[in-house]
Amino acid sequence: HDIEARLVTGFPNVFFLPVPDPLLASASVDEYIRSLGMADASGDARRNLGLNIGGQMMAQNAAMPRYDTGGDFEQAMSHDNPAGFAEGDLFFYRQPHVSLNKGDRAYYVLADASPEYKEIYTWESADSITNDSVYEYGRANQPDPVEEIWHSLQFKNTVGLPLTTGPATTFKAGELMGQDMLKYTSIGGEALVKITKALDVHAESADEETDRKRVALQVPGAGAFDLVTLQTVLKVTNTKKEAIHLKVTRPYTGELLESDGATVTKNVKGLRRINPTGKLVWERDLEPGKTLTLTYTSKVYVRSGG
């Protein structure tokens, strides 16, 4: 009756969550001690159980995030009545004056805001090299990669509160446009929410081998590798009636020679692998009826005869 409830986001480490409190357990002392011994013998399972329960608790949203592209909202928070506070790595949302009878359920809106957003079309293309040594696509009995472009919303979290992981529903002019899983977004962080597949924007990719040096590398215990020069071409065609802003992401394997103006991020993990890896990102505006062609060149070691 008339309490201040706290909803928490983050990753609380409540290791003994599934273990009954000894003062509340109905078992005898001997039975309780034996149950602790069994729990200790299966520590991994106990940890998984604790994390799963904790994750389920954290995933229960007090309010489903709603991003409406057809209207503006005013921020509901003020400094005189803060909606929450940070403590360590957790954030606690305040909900004052909560009264619930046994069996009651309640729905609370934690915050309303009108962040500026940008509509973008995202293509997360697949790398054609896997395991540092083989062509994944183009080999016999291997399916072509599914190239999908998504109409998405990108915005900065200006709500003043962290946005916890949960379902995000997008509406426009009162109509449901799509639903996606919004990942945890800290205050001031960038969020990306998919709306729907862009069926009027078409993507395709292809690799062309332009050079091969046979048995360029011998690795004890792993065999011989050829050094192959690849030219990868990515094409996007906009058949919509309006221009779009396009974001293309492509992981790559090997030594990058040309990137066609992409933003390049090299992976620091796996430095002892035969081939380095990284990611290419392009952002371009694409007029209606036009085709965008992006090209990059790389050298990669593949098994001889691959």
Side-chain angles (χ1 to χ4, degrees):
H1 174 72
D2 196 29
I3 66 167
E4 179 178 292
R6 306 278 176 84
L7 297 97
V8 61
T9 185
F11 197 90
N13 183 30
V14 190
F15 184 79
F16 291 99
L17 185 65
V19 178
D21 190 302
L23 296 180
L24 302 178
S26 59
S28 67
V29 173
D30 290 340
E31 292 171 338
Y32 185 80
I33 292 176
R34 283 197 298 270
S35 70
L36 292 180
M38 289 185 294
D40 185 64
S42 57
D44 291 339
R46 181 160 51 92
R47 175 179 292 274
N48 291 334
L49 177 61
L51 294 179
N52 288 337
I53 294 177
Q56 292 169 8
M57 293 174 61
M58 295 306 102
Q60 294 174 359
N61 300 304
M64 178 183 294
R66 170 184 170 123
Y67 307 103
D68 195 322
T69 62
D72 293 333
F73 299 95
E74 295 295 327
Q75 290 194 5
M77 294 78 64
S78 68
H79 294 292
D80 297 332
N81 183 24
F85 61 95
E87 192 67 54
D89 294 314
L90 303 178
F91 191 93
F92 295 86
Y93 304 88
R94 285 188 171 124
Q95 187 61 47
H97 308 298
V98 174
S99 295
L100 289 173
N101 293 321
K102 184 177 180 180
D104 283 355
R105 300 184 182 185
Y107 177 90
Y108 298 104
V109 177
L110 299 182
D112 283 343
S114 54
E116 295 183 0
Y117 65 90
K118 179 169 60 176
E119 294 187 54
I120 65 173
Y121 288 76
T122 57
W123 176 21
E124 296 181 1
S125 183
D127 190 1
S128 55
I129 305 294
T130 61
N131 299 326
D132 291 338
S133 58
V134 297
Y135 291 106
E136 177 69 22
Y137 308 115
R139 298 177 65 201
N141 302 322
Q142 288 288 347
D144 291 334
V146 178
E147 304 290 9
E148 298 175 340
I149 293 184
W150 284 85
H151 185 190
S152 307
L153 286 180
Q154 181 176 297
F155 61 94
K156 189 174 183 179
N157 179 14
T158 59
V159 176
L161 303 170
L163 301 177
T164 188
T165 300
T169 307
T170 304
F171 296 86
K172 186 174 183 179
E175 299 293 339
L176 173 66
M177 303 302 293
Q179 191 175 68
D180 190 26
M181 179 67 76
L182 174 69
K183 296 181 180 179
Y184 176 87
T185 308
S186 58
I187 299 174
E190 290 283 346
L192 182 70
V193 175
K194 292 179 179 178
I195 304 174
T196 186
K197 290 182 182 179
L199 301 182
D200 293 328
V201 185
H202 309 286
E204 58 180 307
S205 64
D207 295 312
E208 179 184 358
E209 183 177 319
T210 60
D211 185 60
R212 178 184 286 258
K213 295 181 179 179
R214 298 288 182 180
V215 194
L217 179 66
Q218 290 275 7
V219 179
F225 291 83
D226 297 345
L227 183 59
V228 177
T229 301
L230 292 176
Q231 184 180 70
T232 303
V233 178
L234 311 175
K235 290 186 178 181
V236 182
T237 302
N238 179 19
T239 62
K240 297 175 69 68
K241 295 181 180 180
E242 65 270 2
I244 62 172
H245 184 74
L246 184 68
K247 182 178 181 179
V248 179
T249 303
R250 171 84 175 197
Y252 71 89
T253 300
E255 179 185 354
L256 195 64
L257 303 179
E258 298 178 1
S259 61
D260 201 2
T263 300
V264 181
T265 303
K266 295 182 179 181
N267 294 335
V268 296
K269 293 183 178 180
L271 295 178
R272 298 183 64 182
R273 292 178 178 175
I274 295 175
N275 295 305
T277 59
K279 181 176 67 174
L280 301 167
V281 178
W282 295 268
E283 289 203 41
R284 300 284 192 276
D285 291 325
L286 186 57
E287 297 296 322
K290 300 295 184 180
T291 298
L292 173 67
T293 301
L294 302 169
T295 305
Y296 71 92
T297 306
S298 59
K299 286 187 176 182
V300 59
Y301 286 104
V302 299
R303 292 191 182 277
S304 294

